Amino acid sequence: MANKNLKINISVTGSEKTREQIKKTTQGIGNMRLTTKGLRREIGKVRNMFLLWMFAIRPAMKLIRQTTNALFEQEKAERKLRTALANVTTATEGGAEKLIRYAAALQKVTIFGDEQIISAASILATFQLNEDAIGHILPRLLDMTTSYGDLQSNALLLGKAFTGNATSLTRVGVQFDKMELAMARAKGPFEEFNFLIESLDENYEGLAEELAKTGFGQIKQLENQISDLNEVLGVSTLPVKKFGTEV
């Protein structure tokens, strides 16, 4: 009889311990679920932030960089021209603005962007050429560059040519009679200037506008129009970029 009681007590005690262990295990599993639920919530937040960056913020920042860079290039070219012309003794007030407007007009009929043309004009101004002289040289510079070299190098070349070193043009294929050049030079700087303008026209006249009419030229003009649009957008997005930098 005593043995039976002993067996019953052991059985009851064991079952109570088992229930207590099961209860603790169940509570542990519940706590683990709460913990993993919180972890999943945090992972979800990180994922949402990543998606927001990839598909919204990142493209927006790229657009802001493109537009503000285009604006900065335009402003830099205009500032260089204004500064260079301010050092030309024969330049007149408002001369830089005239050339800036002229560059915009030339962009519409050639493949060159107005900021490129303005930058070339600033190079010509370093040779003490005023806005009127530069205005005559610019379309010839674009025609010449369509056939040979780049705007920057050719602007330097023409700057030298129109300030006493005209013979340097013969080394790049510009053909003219040296005797006629000497006769024009003897009549004064105005005659020499006109002689060089006519010589450039005889070699390159109309090339820049003709190239703009080709398929390649149409694509380049479209790119220039997009660049102008970016400049306009850059004015609007500049405060956003400044805010982002400060933050």
Side-chain angles (χ1 to χ4, degrees):
M1 191 69 178
N3 291 338
K4 290 182 179 180
N5 289 336
L6 179 60
K7 290 179 180 179
I8 292 171
N9 289 337
I10 291 173
S11 176
V12 170
T13 302
S15 63
E16 288 178 352
K17 289 182 178 180
T18 301
R19 284 198 298 271
E20 186 66 26
Q21 289 175 350
I22 293 172
K23 183 178 179 181
K24 290 181 179 180
T25 302
T26 304
Q27 289 176 346
I29 293 172
N31 292 336
M32 186 181 297
R33 286 176 179 173
L34 291 174
T35 303
T36 56
K37 183 179 180 181
L39 180 60
R40 288 197 302 271
R41 188 184 302 114
E42 293 303 316
I43 292 174
K45 290 180 180 179
V46 173
R47 180 198 61 192
N48 291 339
M49 291 176 64
F50 177 75
L51 292 175
L52 179 63
W53 166 257
M54 287 297 295
F55 297 104
I57 299 176
R58 187 182 180 187
M61 292 302 296
K62 183 178 180 180
L63 174 63
I64 290 172
R65 282 195 299 270
Q66 288 176 341
T67 57
T68 53
N69 286 345
L71 176 63
F72 291 156
E73 286 300 315
Q74 183 75 20
E75 290 183 340
K76 183 171 69 174
E78 292 180 5
R79 177 63 62 88
K80 284 171 57 181
L81 177 60
R82 293 189 183 98
T83 302
L85 270 182
N87 296 323
V88 177
T89 56
T90 58
T92 59
E93 185 176 354
E97 307 311 315
K98 285 171 57 178
L99 287 175
I100 290 170
R101 291 193 296 271
Y102 188 37
L106 289 172
Q107 174 182 284
K108 294 179 180 179
V109 295
T110 69
I111 65 169
F112 301 99
D114 60 340
E115 71 281 356
Q116 295 175 296
I117 301 171
I118 293 168
S119 181
S122 69
I123 292 174
L124 291 170
T126 63
F127 290 91
Q128 285 296 303
L129 296 166
N130 62 26
E131 67 274 14
D132 290 332
I134 294 172
H136 282 85
I137 294 171
L138 280 178
R140 280 82 188 181
L141 170 62
L142 302 185
D143 285 337
M144 178 180 178
T145 304
T146 302
S147 175
Y148 169 85
D150 60 84
L151 275 179
Q152 304 294 315
S153 300
N154 287 342
L156 286 169
L157 183 63
L158 291 186
K160 294 175 182 178
F162 280 90
T163 52
N165 191 18
T167 54
S168 62
L169 291 175
T170 59
R171 293 196 293 270
V172 295
V174 179
Q175 301 298 317
F176 56 80
D177 190 301
K178 293 183 179 180
M179 184 65 69
E180 290 181 3
L181 171 62
M183 292 173 60
R185 183 173 291 167
K187 295 178 182 179
F190 182 76
E191 288 296 328
E192 181 181 0
F193 185 92
N194 285 337
F195 174 82
L196 292 176
I197 288 291
E198 291 174 1
S199 296
L200 289 170
D201 283 344
E202 289 173 359
N203 285 268
Y204 304 115
E205 186 176 16
L207 289 180
E209 291 191 18
E210 287 302 314
L211 181 59
K213 296 175 184 177
T214 65
F216 168 79
Q218 294 295 306
I219 292 173
K220 294 297 291 184
Q221 286 194 317
L222 178 60
E223 290 176 355
N224 291 333
Q225 292 171 5
I226 293 173
S227 178
D228 286 346
L229 178 60
N230 282 335
E231 291 166 17
V232 175
L233 292 173
V235 176
S236 302
T237 58
L238 186 58
V240 179
K241 184 172 184 178
K242 288 181 177 179
F243 174 77
T245 303
E246 292 172 357
V247 171

